[in-house]
Amino acid sequence: SSFCCLAAWALRVQKLPPLPRTCSDCLRLMPLMLLHWLGVAFANISVAEVNIAFTHTIKAAEPLCTAAMVTIFFGTVPTGKAWVSLLLVVLGVGLAARTEVSFTYLGFWAAMASNVGVSLRGVLSKWLIEIKHYDPVNFIAMLHCGAFLCSLPAAFLIEGGRFSDIVDAGQAPLLGLTGILVWVFNMASILILSRTSPVTHSMIRTLRRPVLVMASILAFGTAVKPWNVVGISMALGGAWLYSSDYRGPVIRHGKRGLTQLFERQVSANEPIEPRTPPNLS
């Protein structure tokens, strides 16, 4: 997907930002690049450890993680509906985990870590796009390329000796196709995030998970027990309840979040571009 970003810049499909700003932006975005890589890496670890249906059941809790991040960074509190959704997802995931044939703690906690990383990346990305007026496509392209560089040391250390096996097995075209699909998905995702709130963006992303869960069960013949089905249904039902109201299950209150505290500490000599408050409803 990083090569797709570079190709878009090289072919002038996407305008390359000025080089001095690009260098300074890359330094500023390094934590988000790391989060971008960790979110994907932990999700892949989970898929490798447990059934893909179970991974996406846990990943259905991503909007609730996003709501928690929005509460911390922007000063909002969940409504009663959000707490009911949270309870359903937590109980559902717990039941699915207890009855999951392929359950491992590594697979479970890797999926949860991916939720935290992706949610934190989404909230901070929205905030930076708002206050710095980044072009969303260039923004995600820089995250892609930075995440690729972050992944290289771990990839060579853990999987370096297996790259030739992947090529010999004829899987290189599939890897290339996967990269293109990931690039398209993330381009669409950042454009949605730039036009909506982090919570709404996360809800839209989650709506695909019931389809992924059912498709994985059918495609891979995943063995499921009755209580496992009940747990998956509860978790996905909680995610649906969370996303059933377009306005989202969080409300804005007057208290300050971490982003407002950070903005107050910015030096008076540093120019801050005028902006409108992010849409967090």
Side-chain angles (χ1 to χ4, degrees):
S1 58
S2 298
F3 290 111
C4 290
C5 298
L6 295 175
W9 280 327
L11 298 174
R12 297 294 189 266
V13 175
Q14 174 64 24
K15 184 179 179 181
L16 184 67
L19 185 59
R21 176 170 179 173
T22 301
C23 295
S24 62
D25 287 345
C26 286
L27 293 176
R28 183 182 292 114
L29 297 179
M30 283 183 66
L32 283 181
M33 294 172 182
L34 183 61
L35 283 174
H36 188 63
W37 169 59
L38 290 176
V40 175
F42 279 121
N44 288 333
I45 291 172
S46 179
V47 169
E49 285 291 314
V50 297
N51 291 327
I52 190 172
F54 181 61
T55 295
H56 282 288
T57 299
I58 301 173
K59 292 285 288 176
E62 182 184 311
L64 303 171
C65 293
T66 302
M69 297 298 174
V70 169
T71 300
I72 295 171
F73 286 92
F74 294 112
T76 63
V77 294
T79 63
K81 175 186 172 182
W83 288 117
V84 172
S85 303
L86 175 62
L87 181 62
L88 276 175
V89 172
V90 170
L91 290 177
V93 169
L95 184 59
R98 188 171 181 82
T99 57
E100 170 60 35
V101 176
S102 65
F103 175 81
T104 66
Y105 281 105
L106 176 58
F108 175 82
W109 288 114
M112 290 300 297
S114 177
N115 279 344
V116 173
V118 171
S119 298
L120 185 56
R121 183 202 67 196
V123 170
L124 294 179
S125 295
K126 176 66 175 180
W127 178 58
L128 283 174
I129 289 173
E130 290 281 345
I131 68 170
K132 294 295 184 180
H133 300 284
Y134 284 119
D135 174 70
V137 176
N138 277 333
F139 182 87
I140 194 64
M142 287 188 288
L143 290 192
H144 264 298
C145 296
F148 171 71
L149 295 177
C150 290
S151 70
L152 286 179
F156 281 114
L157 181 64
I158 300 173
E159 301 283 349
R162 300 186 58 188
F163 182 76
S164 59
D165 297 335
I166 294 174
V167 175
D168 293 339
Q171 296 177 351
L174 291 178
L175 288 177
L177 178 59
T178 301
I180 294 173
L181 292 176
V182 169
W183 174 70
V184 172
F185 171 79
N186 281 290
M187 289 297 147
S189 180
I190 197 66
L191 290 174
I192 293 172
L193 178 61
S194 67
R195 290 166 171 79
T196 63
S197 71
V199 176
T200 302
H201 169 257
S202 187
M203 290 189 296
I204 293 172
R205 285 168 52 93
T206 298
L207 291 178
R208 78 188 193 274
R209 300 207 183 277
V211 178
L212 290 171
V213 169
M214 296 308 300
S216 65
I217 290 174
L218 295 175
F220 300 107
T222 302
V224 290
K225 297 179 180 179
W227 282 111
N228 189 259
V229 174
V230 172
I232 291 174
S233 301
M234 288 177 62
L236 297 179
W240 174 84
L241 179 63
Y242 188 97
S243 60
S244 60
D245 186 351
Y246 175 77
R247 294 171 299 175
V250 294
I251 55 177
R252 188 83 183 264
H253 282 272
K255 66 178 184 178
R256 290 184 177 272
L258 292 182
T259 53
Q260 286 86 353
L261 294 177
F262 173 80
E263 289 168 3
R264 287 197 301 173
Q265 295 174 0
V266 175
S267 171
N269 296 326
E270 180 181 345
I272 301 178
E273 302 178 34
R275 65 183 180 94
T276 56
N279 174 20
L280 299 172
S281 60

